[in-house]
Amino acid sequence: PLLKKNGSIINISSIASYFGFENNPGYISSKSGLSGLTRSMAFDLSKKSIRVNNIVLGYIYTDMTKKSYHSKKMYLARKKRNLLNRWGKTEDVVGASIFLASSASSYITGSDIVVDGGWSIKGM
C-alpha cells in the first residue's frame, strides 16, 4: 500500500500579532508574519494532508518574560489585563499543543488557538 503523508505543524505566536504594543516593532511584526505564514503553509501543505496551525499566546512566564514577571508594576498590570487574573504557565500551553498534534483536530488547519487567559476579549 501507498504510504499516506500527513502530519501537523504547530507554530507559536503571540497576542502581539493582534495588538500594537509599544517599543517592540520587530517582535510584533515577526509574530504577525508567522500568523500569515501559518495560513499560507496550511494552504500549500494541505495537498500532503499536513495541517498547519498557530497557538497564539498571552503572557506566559518564560525566560523572555521573567523581567516583566519580577517587576511588581509590570506583573500586576499584565495579570490585571486578562480575565483569569494571572500569568500563564508553560503548562497552560500543553493542552492546545496536544490537541493540535492529535487526530482530534484532524479538520482544523490554518487556524489560531488563542491561549491568553482572556486578554484578547477583555476589552478596554
Side-chain angles (χ1 to χ4, degrees):
L2 295 174
L3 179 64
K4 183 177 179 181
K5 298 176 183 178
N6 62 38
S8 175
I9 296 171
I10 304 167
N11 291 320
I12 303 294
S13 187
S14 167
I15 58 172
S17 67
Y18 294 163
F19 306 107
F21 293 109
E22 64 183 348
N23 300 320
N24 215 343
Y27 181 78
I28 293 168
S29 60
S30 69
K31 293 303 182 179
S32 298
L34 185 58
S35 292
L37 179 64
T38 296
R39 291 185 295 277
S40 179
M41 288 176 63
F43 192 93
D44 293 342
L45 295 176
S46 66
K47 299 166 187 76
K48 297 181 179 182
S49 298
I50 298 172
R51 298 176 294 108
V52 186
N53 292 290
N54 195 26
I55 298 177
V56 180
L57 300 179
Y59 275 87
I60 305 288
Y61 178 72
T62 64
D63 284 342
M64 188 180 93
T65 61
K66 69 182 171 185
K67 184 176 179 182
S68 296
Y69 187 88
H70 292 294
S71 161
K72 185 175 182 178
K73 181 181 177 183
M74 294 174 87
Y75 171 86
L76 291 174
R78 282 153 178 75
K79 178 181 161 190
K80 184 181 178 184
R81 185 62 186 90
N82 70 60
L83 291 175
L84 298 181
N85 197 33
R86 70 174 179 87
W87 276 60
K89 302 172 285 205
T90 54
E91 301 86 59
D92 293 323
V93 185
V94 172
S97 301
I98 291 171
F99 172 66
L100 289 175
S102 75
S103 62
S105 64
S106 65
Y107 199 58
I108 299 173
T109 193
S111 295
D112 290 342
I113 302 287
V114 180
V115 180
D116 70 352
W119 178 299
S120 58
I121 64 162
K122 188 168 183 180
M124 303 299 285

